């Protein structure tokens, strides 16, 4: 158990809808990272937050947004969902800001868009 | 794209044999990491090697890094059925706060 929690575990929704994925980092970690893993794109870095502030941005679509709250949990919002958004979404956390520190991954949320 | 490529894509070996997988990347890096992912689960960090290191060991794992060839290898010795998983290398880009995972090697260890 990495100490990173993600909810929900599975999410099934329809195209055009909006969903929110939630992540709680390990106790004491200040950075949260979001990743998307799909069969055709592999594991893609989406975005990083550190202590409430956006720190780095990867291949995140404009339809996606994220935030980190004062209690350090983070939410990834996916809107106007398309079939191609079906994927596993992982969050990871680290103590500091350095993206190349060892990252501790949550179990993931499997999103299915029908 | 900096995204790394792992080779082979899939590897099947008998328990007790050694498994070697390779990772190639495109631009200069600060460090390279290897992660393991069991089917549909989160990734687990295995080992980190810095750009000024050439070899690193952790238990049955041995990682090498050749920055001149922009490549790394992960050797798992005396493999066990529990080593069955996908293995990914991950690199930064040395020019910004980005993090890239390779395409992964799927390892199957047959008991």
């Amino acid at each position: 158990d990495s100490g990173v929690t993600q909810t929900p575990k599975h999410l099934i929704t329809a195209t055009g809808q909006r969903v929110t994925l939630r992540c709680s980092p390990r106790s004491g970690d200040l950075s949260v990272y979001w990743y998307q893993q799909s069969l055709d794109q592999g594991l893609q870095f989406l975005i990083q937050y550190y202590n409430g502030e956006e720190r780095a941005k990867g291949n995140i679509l404009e339809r996606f947004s994220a935030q980190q709250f004062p209690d350090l949990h983070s939410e990834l919002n996916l809107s106007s969902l398309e079939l191609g958004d079906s994927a596993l979404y992982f969050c990871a956390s680290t103590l500091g800001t350095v993206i190349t520190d060892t990252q501790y991954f949550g179990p993931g949320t499997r999103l299915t868009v029908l | 794209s900096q995204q790394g490529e792992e080779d082979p894509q899939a590897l099947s070996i008998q328990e007790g044999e050694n498994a070697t997988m390779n990772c190639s990347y495109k631009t200069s890096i600060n460090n390279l990491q290897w992660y393991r992912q069991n089917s549909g689960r989160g990734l687990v960090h295995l080992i980190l090697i810095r750009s000024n290191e050439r070899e690193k060991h952790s238990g049955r794992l041995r990682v090498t890094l050749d920055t001149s060839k922009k490549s790394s290898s992960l050797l798992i010795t005396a493999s066990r059925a529990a080593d069955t998983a996908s293995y990914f290398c991950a690199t930064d880009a040395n020019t910004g706060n980005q993090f890239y995972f390779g395409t992964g090697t799927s390892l199957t260890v047959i008991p």
Side-chain angles (χ1 to χ4, degrees), chain A residues 35 37 41-45 48 55-59 88 90 97-108 110, chain B residues 3 30-31 33 35 37 39-46 48 50 88 91-93 96-103:
Chain A
Y35 294 88
Q37 186 177 35
Q41 295 289 325
L43 196 63
Q44 302 277 327
F45 165 65
Q48 177 200 1
R55 189 79 180 180
K57 222 167 186 176
N59 299 320
L88 266 170
F90 291 104
T97 63
V98 179
I99 200 168
T100 51
D101 284 344
T102 298
Q103 298 190 23
Y104 295 89
F105 280 77
R110 182 174 293 280
Chain B
Q3 188 172 19
N30 291 310
N31 61 49
Q33 302 182 45
Y35 285 82
Q37 183 182 31
S39 180
R41 309 284 293 274
L43 281 76
V44 175
H45 180 261
L46 295 176
L48 180 153
R50 303 195 186 281
F88 295 87
T91 60
D92 63 346
N97 214 18
Q98 291 283 333
F99 201 53
Y100 299 95
F101 280 86
T103 50

Side-chain angles (χ1 to χ4, degrees), chain B residues 38-59:
Chain B
N38 290 86
S39 180
R41 309 284 293 274
L43 281 76
V44 175
H45 180 261
L46 295 176
I47 196 165
L48 180 153
I49 186 166
R50 303 195 186 281
S51 59
N52 61 353
E53 296 175 311
R54 291 296 166 258
E55 188 171 311
K56 204 158 182 182
H57 297 254
S58 176

Side-chain angles (χ1 to χ4, degrees), chain A residues 3-43:
Chain A
V4 178
T5 61
Q6 287 187 250
T7 57
K9 194 169 182 179
H10 299 278
L11 200 49
I12 301 174
T13 188
T15 55
Q17 295 298 307
R18 173 189 169 95
V19 297
T20 297
L21 313 183
R22 183 188 169 105
C23 168
S24 292
R26 287 188 325 157
S27 177
D29 283 356
L30 298 176
S31 276
V32 170
Y33 309 78
W34 284 98
Y35 294 88
Q36 178 194 59
Q37 186 177 35
S38 60
L39 284 175
D40 55 344
Q41 295 289 325
L43 196 63

Side-chain angles (χ1 to χ4, degrees), chain B residues 24-39:
Chain B
S24 60
Y25 55 92
K26 295 181 182 175
T27 67
S28 297
I29 62 171
N30 291 310
N31 61 49
L32 184 145
Q33 302 182 45
W34 284 91
Y35 285 82
R36 184 188 76 226
Q37 183 182 31
N38 290 86
S39 180

